[in-house]
């Protein structure tokens, strides 16, 4: 029985790894965040947990938007899952502030001007229109 379970677990792992996102996967620095047409100041993360400085895309493991540029802390970050559609270049985010508090689904976030080192995300999260310019760190 154990060898059969191990075989299925190994197959599941390889299927997930093969389907894992390689386009977005990594750590991204938020170069500029514009919310509802207003640029969010670079030091706003000190008092505002929605002034993100880092975005982490980890494939099937999910994603996280962190305000602190020096460390990741789950309690202050917006985290969840994402689906990247390479044909339409859209990202669907399913995010939550905590395990119990879900954030309204972003209908579609559009990826604009993506290269290996930079990209721009535009979309709606809750009632806010967001425009984020990102640069790849890792």
């Amino acid at each position: 029985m154990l060898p059969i379970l191990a075989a299925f677990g190994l197959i599941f792992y390889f299927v997930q790894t093969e389907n894992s996102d390689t386009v977005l996967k990594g750590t991204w620095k938020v170069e500029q965040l514009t919310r509802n047409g207003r640029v969010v100041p670079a030091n706003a993360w000190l008092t505002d947990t929605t002034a993100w400085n880092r975005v982490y895309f980890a494939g099937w493991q999910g994603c996280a938007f962190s305000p602190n540029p020096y460390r990741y802390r789950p309690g202050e970050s917006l985290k969840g899952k994402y689906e990247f559609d390479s044909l339409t270049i859209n990202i669907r985010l399913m995010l939550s502030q905590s395990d119990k508090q879900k954030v309204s689904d972003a209908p579609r976030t559009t990826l604009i001007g993506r290269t290996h080192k930079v990209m721009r995300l535009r979309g709606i999260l809750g009632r806010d229109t967001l425009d984020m310019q990102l640069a790849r760190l890792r």
Side-chain angles (χ1 to χ4, degrees):
M1 182 70 166
L2 185 59
I4 293 171
L5 289 175
F8 279 114
L10 195 58
I11 290 170
F12 177 76
Y13 172 77
F14 284 121
V15 167
Q16 289 295 335
T17 302
E18 185 176 311
N19 292 333
S20 181
D21 166 45
T22 56
V23 174
L24 302 179
K25 198 171 186 179
T27 302
W28 296 83
K29 176 183 179 186
V30 178
E31 294 285 326
Q32 182 175 338
L33 172 62
T34 304
R35 180 178 289 119
N36 300 323
R38 293 189 176 148
V39 175
V40 176
N43 64 349
W45 67 273
L46 293 166
T47 58
D48 181 3
T49 59
T50 63
W52 306 297
N53 269 285
R54 296 289 185 268
V55 178
Y56 305 94
F57 289 106
W60 62 276
Q61 296 172 342
C63 62
F65 292 71
S66 177
N68 194 314
Y70 304 109
R71 60 160 167 66
Y72 171 75
R73 202 177 261 175
E76 65 188 17
S77 300
L78 193 61
K79 53 193 172 297
K81 297 180 181 183
Y82 70 99
E83 296 171 357
F84 175 61
D85 184 345
S86 59
L87 294 176
T88 61
I89 313 175
N90 285 322
I91 303 168
R92 182 169 180 242
L93 300 169
M94 289 102 13
L95 302 170
S96 63
Q97 189 67 40
S98 67
D99 293 334
K100 296 177 184 174
Q101 181 184 6
K102 299 249 185 255
V103 174
S104 61
D105 208 13
R108 287 282 174 185
T109 303
T110 305
L111 198 88
I112 301 170
R114 178 189 59 82
T115 68
H116 181 69
K117 295 185 178 186
V118 296
M119 72 174 159
R120 185 173 176 189
L121 295 177
R122 292 176 104 183
I124 299 170
L125 183 62
R127 295 181 178 165
D128 293 330
T129 302
L130 298 174
D131 187 347
M132 298 171 60
Q133 295 179 19
L134 307 175
R136 184 184 295 273
L137 292 177
R138 287 180 249 152

